[in-house]
Amino acid sequence: MGAKMSKAVDAEGREISLSDAENKCYIAPLRCVHCSTELSFTGQYLRQLGDDTVTVSACFKLKRGNVHKTDCPFDLTEKVTIVARESSPAVLSKNESGKYELRLLAVKEAIFGLRDIENKESKSNNPESRPKVGKEYVKSKKQLSSYLSTARQVLKIRAQCEDNREVEDNLELVFNGNRVHWKDFYFMDQDYFRCYTNLQRATINIPIAIQGLVRSTKVVPGKYGERAVLNLISPYRETDDPKVIDTVNISIWSSNLSSFDKFKYKDSIIIFGFWKAGKIDEREGASEKTKGKVYRNRQISMSLLTNSQICPEKS
Ligand SMILES: [Zn+2]
């Protein structure tokens, strides 16, 4: 399991940057700057995502069949060990088969526990209803925050991997004693349609993680006052009817109007929590370019319970 890298060394021992590699200024093979395992280079390219064109950055990564040495900082297995060392075993620990295991029930309890604490704190602005803040309360807030911090670190490690298969050999997911497959927990834009179907069929409410690029953030009026909303860039899927396009729209709502202030267009983020699948609605294209087209939209949404549920991919 290897991280994407921005440096490598070539056959003559020169350090090679991404732009050197892009300009073919190196002598193969390329190797890891720390442990000398063989690497490959993928150049920058553009990808169409719905109406948007997004840039996929260049990177060096492990050449097929190679692994980093165990003490290499680019070895993600080592990174999981480091995260586990600093985490509570209640949320991340080694199981009988020697793999690490992230406990999603602890993540769920932490999300709801922190939501309750933050609600109490916001009420405490009013001195009349201020709760007694004891040692137990502070300890519990610290512990629950640490669980979510572990979940965020694990998600960042996953984001560095090529696909779910790469991470599941090293890190398993468990909810209340039952194994959860990574493909049913972590969804990238190419998986959003499957995510919608999974949510519709779900009988158990487990937290899931959705990775995507920010399309917009805004504040909108509602029945119970203003709310902030963040939308991710939606993928399109062609249908048998050339006029009809299938889409999935992902929205996160928050009563804290500044929740999404730090995010801008095309930032990559991962949000984990309890998502809902809404009804499919159809709307006609409004612009000159989309006139006559029908967008068949699947809505996936979530109310943010605590800001700790959002994880910028790079931070
Ligand atoms: Zn290495």
Side-chain angles (χ1 to χ4, degrees):
M1 196 161 66
K4 292 167 190 155
M5 289 152 276
S6 56
K7 282 187 300 195
V9 284
D10 77 350
E12 292 190 336
R14 283 177 305 176
E15 193 169 293
I16 304 299
S17 67
L18 291 171
S19 66
D20 293 336
E22 203 82 71
N23 296 320
K24 300 194 169 56
C25 294
Y26 65 90
I27 296 164
L30 292 167
R31 294 183 182 278
C32 172
V33 291
H34 283 275
C35 74
S36 300
T37 196
E38 218 174 305
L39 305 178
S40 64
F41 171 71
T42 308
Q44 178 178 296
Y45 62 94
L46 297 175
R47 186 164 75 93
Q48 193 63 31
L49 180 58
D51 282 333
D52 294 80
T53 307
V54 297
T55 307
V56 180
S57 308
C59 71
F60 297 107
K61 58 189 175 196
L62 283 173
K63 199 167 179 181
R64 195 176 282 269
N66 287 270
V67 288
H68 289 285
K69 303 226 166 73
T70 45
D71 58 349
C72 177
F74 295 118
D75 179 36
L76 292 177
T77 319
E78 179 69 10
K79 274 199 178 161
V80 179
T81 309
I82 295 166
V83 173
R85 204 180 293 148
E86 290 159 4
S87 301
S88 159
V91 66
L92 183 67
S93 63
K94 245 184 191 167
N95 62 19
E96 285 157 3
S97 60
K99 289 183 186 176
Y100 282 101
E101 194 173 86
L102 179 69
R103 304 217 164 87
L104 298 177
L105 185 60
V107 174
K108 177 178 181 172
E109 286 166 357
I111 291 172
F112 284 103
L114 269 186
R115 188 247 344 236
D116 292 346
I117 288 172
E118 285 171 12
N119 279 351
K120 273 185 199 155
E121 281 176 348
S122 68
K123 277 190 193 131
S124 72
N125 291 334
N126 172 4
E128 295 291 304
S129 60
R130 188 168 290 164
K132 287 191 177 73
V133 178
K135 263 189 197 163
E136 277 307 306
Y137 172 89
V138 174
K139 192 179 141 202
S140 147
K141 184 176 180 183
K142 213 172 149 189
Q143 190 184 49
L144 298 177
S145 302
S146 82
Y147 286 7
L148 293 190
S149 159
T150 300
R152 284 198 303 275
Q153 289 179 76
V154 166
L155 288 170
K156 275 190 192 175
I157 291 173
R158 163 61 191 86
Q160 290 207 48
C161 296
E162 201 79 347
D163 54 32
N164 285 321
R165 269 173 303 174
E166 199 182 351
V167 73
E168 67 196 357
D169 289 341
N170 298 281
L171 192 58
E172 291 187 339
L173 302 165
V174 174
F175 184 80
N176 206 12
N178 295 310
R179 171 97 186 268
V180 176
H181 291 284
W182 272 90
K183 70 173 177 51
D184 297 322
F185 170 72
Y186 187 92
F187 297 88
M188 298 165 76
D189 55 65
Q190 60 265 40
D191 312 313
Y192 289 174
F193 287 98
R194 194 169 51 79
C195 180
Y196 180 81
T197 312
N198 276 17
L199 285 169
Q200 275 188 316
R201 291 181 186 157
T203 48
I204 312 166
N205 208 7
I206 66 162
I208 62 163
I210 293 182
Q211 183 270 338
L213 302 173
V214 174
R215 187 180 70 207
S216 63
T217 61
K218 52 191 165 197
V219 172
V220 292
K223 218 171 167 183
Y224 304 103
E226 289 186 312
R227 292 178 85 199
V229 58
L230 180 151
N231 286 295
L232 296 179
I233 299 180
S234 311
Y236 287 171
R237 190 171 67 181
E238 287 179 3
T239 65
D240 293 339
D241 183 343
K243 280 193 201 135
V244 179
I245 295 166
D246 276 345
T247 73
V248 183
N249 185 47
I250 299 189
S251 319
I252 309 108
W253 296 83
S254 174
S255 51
N256 176 353
L257 301 186
S258 58
S259 286
F260 310 127
D261 282 0
K262 63 177 172 183
F263 301 113
K264 54 182 198 309
Y265 179 52
K266 289 187 180 172
D267 275 354
S268 175
I269 58 171
I270 310 159
I271 312 119
F272 60 103
F274 300 89
W275 298 87
K276 283 195 186 103
K279 285 191 184 133
I280 298 178
D281 61 69
E282 285 190 358
R283 65 182 163 82
E284 280 188 34
S287 71
E288 202 55 51
K289 207 173 137 194
T290 60
K291 223 174 195 171
K293 294 221 183 238
V294 174
Y295 293 84
R296 201 188 287 149
N297 182 46
R298 289 145 183 79
Q299 185 67 41
I300 297 178
S301 62
M302 179 172 84
S303 284
L304 198 67
L305 299 176
T306 154
N307 280 336
S308 315
Q309 289 170 263
I310 312 182
C311 169
E313 194 184 316
K314 287 178 190 132
S315 64

